[in-house]
Amino acid sequence: MQNIVSASSADDARSDAHASGVDSLRSGVLSARQVIFFVIAAAAPLGFSVGAIPLAIGRGGIGTAGILLVCGAILAVFSVGYVAMARHIRKVGGLYLFVTAGLGRPLGLGSAFLAVMAYAVASIGSIGAFAIFTQHTAHSLLHWDTPWELWAFLAVAAMGLVGLLGVDINARVLGIVVTCEIVLLLVFAVAVTLSGGAEGLSATAFSPHAVFGSDLGPMMAIAITAFAGFEATVLFAEEVRDGHRTIRRATYGAISVMMVLYAFVCWAVVQSFGDAGAVEQANSDPTNMFFAAAENFIGLWLAQTLSVVVVTSWFAAVLAFHNAAARYLFALGRDRALPPVLGRVQQRTGSPWVASAGLSAFTLVFVSVFATAGLDPYLDLFVLCTTPAVVALPVLTCLASVAVFAYFLRNRRGLPVWQVWFCPLLAAAALAFVAWLIVDQLSLFTGRSGVVNIFLALFVPAAVLFGCARALWLRQGQPDTYERLAP
């Protein structure tokens, strides 16, 4: 078995890096628990629960709780082949390297550009959510009337600073934040359960009729974002301890925690208002739905605590998406698919500082444009910026599923058929259906119609085609660089 970051593979990676004039990331600094923190932080557990679960309930129904279990199950099936293939991928690069190994360099590079786009816009969009929730918290608790732009620019500065630190420092920061979020969510959900809810406990939210209702698209679109970043376990492949074992534990651990936690919390939110009352409340006052339930069943102190921690939750998401995008850029720079300077690391901290700094600068420009244009931080910066990511994530994972199947179709390497053929194909079919549902009902997610949704959805094929074109150009003009685009 070839571990992802075994001593020999880590040495190989360093040798390759130095030979090409770039560096390698620090090895052996992350445990499975710390990688799980990165993955869960990207989904902003508290931020998602406060900002997205009410939206999903209002637009799709109480079946959102069941849909969260469905999405988790799909990704768990995907992870069977994903973890098996991770044994044979030695470098950082995430699903980019999986698609390259299974479907070839052009489509592999296309998936890399898709991943960079998705995580970059997710990070930028999350700054909008961070800014508006911070603005509201400052007003409600401190009676400060502050512009959202102030908090957005502070978030960009903090993101840039923390992103330049070592990955272990990032993990400690995210670990503290995520632990607080999970504790508060469990306190809320357990309190609602023990009190019996508003009308008595009901399992209707998990019934087939509620889960597979007519508005499945928006529920799927919002639910899939709950697991955003779960594939980041492989992005930290060169930095983990105990190689493949850590990646396996982190992948299954992250999916299991998120699936159970989100479904439980969503069900508790529904119970706090009743099956019918939850939909009505979600449509009339979605932003305060979670806080109102917390205050009713526990007290004002929890509602106020949640309003503070939700701010740190969104910053953790910003930071996690930023780290993921930076590592994709690092991988592309080290492979010379993009300027090699992006493959540089800071020797003292081991962070991909050039890629991180470049993303921070791009984010600053993007946020400045939205601020100057006087656009809304939530409806415009958050919703519109994250829309391409919402479409891209199931597409990217679907491509990786097909790539895993194609990779093992050539050589099963002694692994069982169900693990490397059946599970990847099943996951690919399910993810393709999810992506189609999201695109088909995108207007329910964005609140826009017509050309806006078409434009946002086109970011996905545009990113893939741009990456494919770049690969073909490299094959023609720089064949040596083209050959480097491989695991």
Side-chain angles (χ1 to χ4, degrees), residues 127-128 130-132 147-157 363 367 371 381:
I127 287 176
F130 168 85
I132 196 65
W148 71 267
E149 294 88 349
L150 169 66
W151 302 111
F153 289 126
L154 286 177
V156 175
T363 301
V367 172
L381 183 56

Side-chain angles (χ1 to χ4, degrees), residues 73-74 77-78 401 405 421-432:
I74 291 173
V77 172
F78 162 78
S401 296
F405 170 77
W421 288 1
F422 178 74
C423 284
L425 284 180
L426 180 62
L431 288 162

Side-chain angles (χ1 to χ4, degrees), residues 251-437:
T251 302
Y252 289 126
I255 292 175
S256 299
V257 169
M258 289 190 290
M259 178 172 64
V260 174
L261 176 66
Y262 285 134
F264 182 33
V265 171
C266 182
W267 174 81
V269 171
V270 172
Q271 301 313 300
S272 65
F273 292 95
D275 291 345
V279 176
E280 181 181 351
Q281 178 69 20
N283 283 319
S284 63
D285 192 13
T287 57
N288 290 315
M289 182 179 186
F290 200 95
F291 298 121
E295 184 173 351
N296 289 339
F297 283 88
I298 300 179
L300 180 61
W301 70 268
L302 181 62
Q304 292 177 331
T305 303
L306 288 172
S307 68
V308 173
V309 180
V310 73
V311 171
T312 62
S313 175
W314 279 114
F315 179 71
V318 169
L319 186 60
F321 286 131
H322 175 84
N323 274 294
R327 276 155 180 78
Y328 267 109
L329 285 176
F330 166 83
L332 293 173
R334 188 164 67 177
D335 285 350
R336 296 183 181 273
L338 289 176
V341 67
L342 292 171
R344 295 290 182 183
V345 301
Q346 213 284 333
Q347 294 300 319
R348 184 174 60 85
T349 64
S351 65
W353 73 274
V354 176
S356 180
L359 278 173
S360 297
F362 177 76
T363 301
L364 178 62
V365 172
F366 213 96
V367 172
S368 297
V369 170
F370 272 75
T372 303
L375 299 176
D376 186 86
Y378 188 85
L379 297 178
D380 295 318
L381 183 56
F382 173 63
V383 174
L384 295 186
C385 276
T386 55
T387 296
V390 167
V391 178
L393 290 175
V395 171
L396 179 63
T397 313
C398 180
L399 281 174
S401 296
V402 177
V404 171
F405 170 77
Y407 181 82
F408 286 109
L409 184 63
R410 295 190 291 268
N411 183 353
R412 283 198 292 118
R413 292 170 170 78
L415 296 174
V417 169
W418 69 267
Q419 183 178 11
V420 296
W421 288 1
F422 178 74
C423 284
L425 284 180
L426 180 62
L431 288 162
F433 179 66
V434 169
W436 176 82
L437 274 176

Side-chain angles (χ1 to χ4, degrees), residues 39-52:
V39 174
I40 297 178
L46 187 56
F48 175 82
S49 298
V50 172

